[in-house]
Amino acid sequence: MRRLFDHYRQYQELPPEEVARELRERRAEERRRELVFVPELDLARTAWHEPPHPEAVNAATFALRRRMNAYPDPGAREVRELAARRHGLAPAQVAVGHGAAELLQEACAALLAGGRELLVAWPGWGPLPELARRVGGRPVPVPGEGGIGPLAERVGPDTGAVAVCSPNDPTGAALAPADVRALCERVGERVWVLLDEALADFLPPGEDAAGLVAELPNLLVFRTFAKAHAMAGFRIGYVLGPAGMAERLTPSFSVNAPAQAAAAWALELGDPVLARRRAAAARERDRLAATLQGSPLSFPPTAAPFVWLSSDAHAGREIVEHLAARRIKVAPGEQWGDERHVRVTLRDPPATDRLAAALGELR
Amino acid sequence: MARNDPTDTGGLFIGRRPGTARVHYAAEPDEATAARRRVDRGVAAFVLVVETLVCLTLWGPQPTAWLWVGSQVDYHSGSVSFGIAVAFAGMIASLMLTLVLAVRLDGIWKVVRRAAGYDQREGALPRIFMITAIVALLAFGFWFLILEGPAPSLAPR
């Protein structure tokens, strides 16, 4: 009889509390056994790690909910007026395009026809030589850590333009407005100076060279919303230059309406956001510098939200591999032909802590 | 790919649908022989019949029995109220006891059905309760309207 009851008893279901307890125990056991998951930390890109300000997104959304069956403002009038007001220029001196990169390429196409030279301060913004090559130009990297002396000396009869980046990607070094003025004067009015100020929003206010466009006839300054405004996905930027040249660089088909709306918000009301991000980048830079003190690792002064890191004891490739083993991705200096350095983007305090801990293990 | 399917929950309800959880046993039950399963099928059917009969008693025999008890109390005590109170209390008490018994039987039926090889997740008591109530209501209606109600006057005996 007992065996008979036992047979049926095994078909009785467990009460829900018992099932829940068993499931909890099983999950705890699985967690105990599984390897600790370490998420990848990507410090190789220079786009800002946070999303755009919600009000910028709101502005774009508002534009999306309006007449999207109509073409956007072909002249991006509002963005141009706001950009012009910000830099003390006339709206005609501003051209809005699909990011600073497109405008740089347009400038190369306009200035390097016939295979003319583009002198690029090297190391500089990585894709620029390829952009120049694609439109028939002849990029010539000029080593010199962003200084203007070697560039000005290298200018020859075939030189169509000179490109510098400030703050420089990847070194982070910034050119003072006086240096930009000196460069424009030394290369002569025949040669254009393409000043890539994609990261200029990280400079203290008033230290950028955009205002010089009003005085210098051969200066083009390129600005983007992709970095400090965290709007890389919108693909919008602008160039400042003489009115004729700005008109030449204006794309045939304008930037889309949501991107124009977000950019207008950023230019009009985005300054507090920029100040916060500038302060955050500076704070992380200082924290990293403090943790590297006394180690063979160091980086030169930088105004950008990344550092050009090198070690007295290790090659750049060793640093990259050491960090990659800890799932931290950085940009190897070999991209710029430099075997000693790596470019490391700064993010938030947890990222800096993790980076510092990983670098501390580099022996 | 753009995700604009209104039924796409974005992974909010991943896994089984509600109400489809398998039965959790303390240990995997032993494999029963085919003969034993046949026997268990028969036992399960028998338990179901008993359960049905037990439920049916709620709708006729039990109230009738308690009304008879009430009438006896009324007769012996001379108090109609006392008789009604006893009948009412008795009906409630036996209803509770019958439900306890039916729940037990339903549990036994579930277990025996599983032993017979069925994936039996729910019991049959709610359905039996409802069906027996409908049957009792129809039977009462037939008795009330046809046998003892207006029908005999329409077609006098």
Side-chain angles (χ1 to χ4, degrees), chain A residues 181-239:
Chain A
R181 180 190 294 277
L183 178 64
C184 290
E185 286 168 357
R186 283 183 67 182
V187 298
E189 287 191 13
R190 184 187 58 81
V191 175
W192 286 85
V193 173
L194 312 183
L195 177 61
D196 178 359
E197 283 201 337
L199 296 156
D201 291 320
F202 290 102
L203 289 169
E207 290 191 15
D208 64 298
L212 295 180
V213 169
E215 306 164 35
L216 300 167
N218 59 341
L219 176 64
L220 290 173
V221 177
F222 298 83
R223 304 292 288 255
T224 181
F225 294 89
K227 310 296 184 187
H229 284 291
M231 285 166 46
F234 284 98
R235 281 240 67 91
I236 182 166
Y238 59 93
V239 59

Side-chain angles (χ1 to χ4, degrees), chain A residues 3-4 7-14 19 22-23 26, chain B residues 23-26 29-30 32 36 40 110-112 114-115:
Chain A
R3 278 184 61 195
L4 181 68
H7 171 71
Y8 290 111
R9 208 166 277 138
Q10 64 182 338
Y11 290 98
Q12 282 183 335
E13 62 197 297
L14 287 172
V19 175
E22 271 192 14
L23 289 174
R26 194 192 308 164
Chain B
V23 178
H24 291 273
Y25 299 116
D30 299 330
R36 181 154 203 171
D40 284 334
K110 259 198 303 187
V111 166
V112 178
R114 286 172 194 159

Side-chain angles (χ1 to χ4, degrees), chain A residues 158-340:
Chain A
D158 275 351
T159 304
V162 170
V164 286
C165 188
S166 175
N168 190 31
D169 181 1
T171 64
L175 280 178
D179 291 335
V180 176
R181 180 190 294 277
L183 178 64
C184 290
E185 286 168 357
R186 283 183 67 182
V187 298
E189 287 191 13
R190 184 187 58 81
V191 175
W192 286 85
V193 173
L194 312 183
L195 177 61
D196 178 359
E197 283 201 337
L199 296 156
D201 291 320
F202 290 102
L203 289 169
E207 290 191 15
D208 64 298
L212 295 180
V213 169
E215 306 164 35
L216 300 167
N218 59 341
L219 176 64
L220 290 173
V221 177
F222 298 83
R223 304 292 288 255
T224 181
F225 294 89
K227 310 296 184 187
H229 284 291
M231 285 166 46
F234 284 98
R235 281 240 67 91
I236 182 166
Y238 59 93
V239 59
L240 309 168
M245 183 52 89
E247 193 183 347
R248 257 179 98 184
L249 298 183
T250 300
S252 307
F253 300 101
S254 66
V255 175
N256 65 74
Q260 287 191 32
W265 183 91
L267 284 168
E268 194 170 12
L269 300 164
D271 281 348
V273 185
L274 293 183
R276 273 201 301 279
R277 290 186 179 148
R278 200 160 40 235
R283 185 186 63 231
E284 296 313 309
R285 203 162 50 223
D286 294 345
R287 289 181 64 227
L288 184 64
T291 57
L292 295 183
Q293 267 185 352
S295 78
L297 293 155
S298 63
F299 57 84
T302 171
F306 46 74
V307 296
W308 189 230
L309 191 72
S310 65
S311 168
D312 297 335
H314 306 89
R317 175 52 49 188
E318 286 177 71
I319 301 173
V320 170
E321 285 171 1
H322 171 82
L323 293 174
R326 286 148 186 81
R327 293 186 56 76
I328 300 174
K329 203 169 148 191
V330 296
E334 289 155 359
Q335 291 177 11
W336 294 271
D338 188 320
E339 293 182 353
R340 302 269 353 138

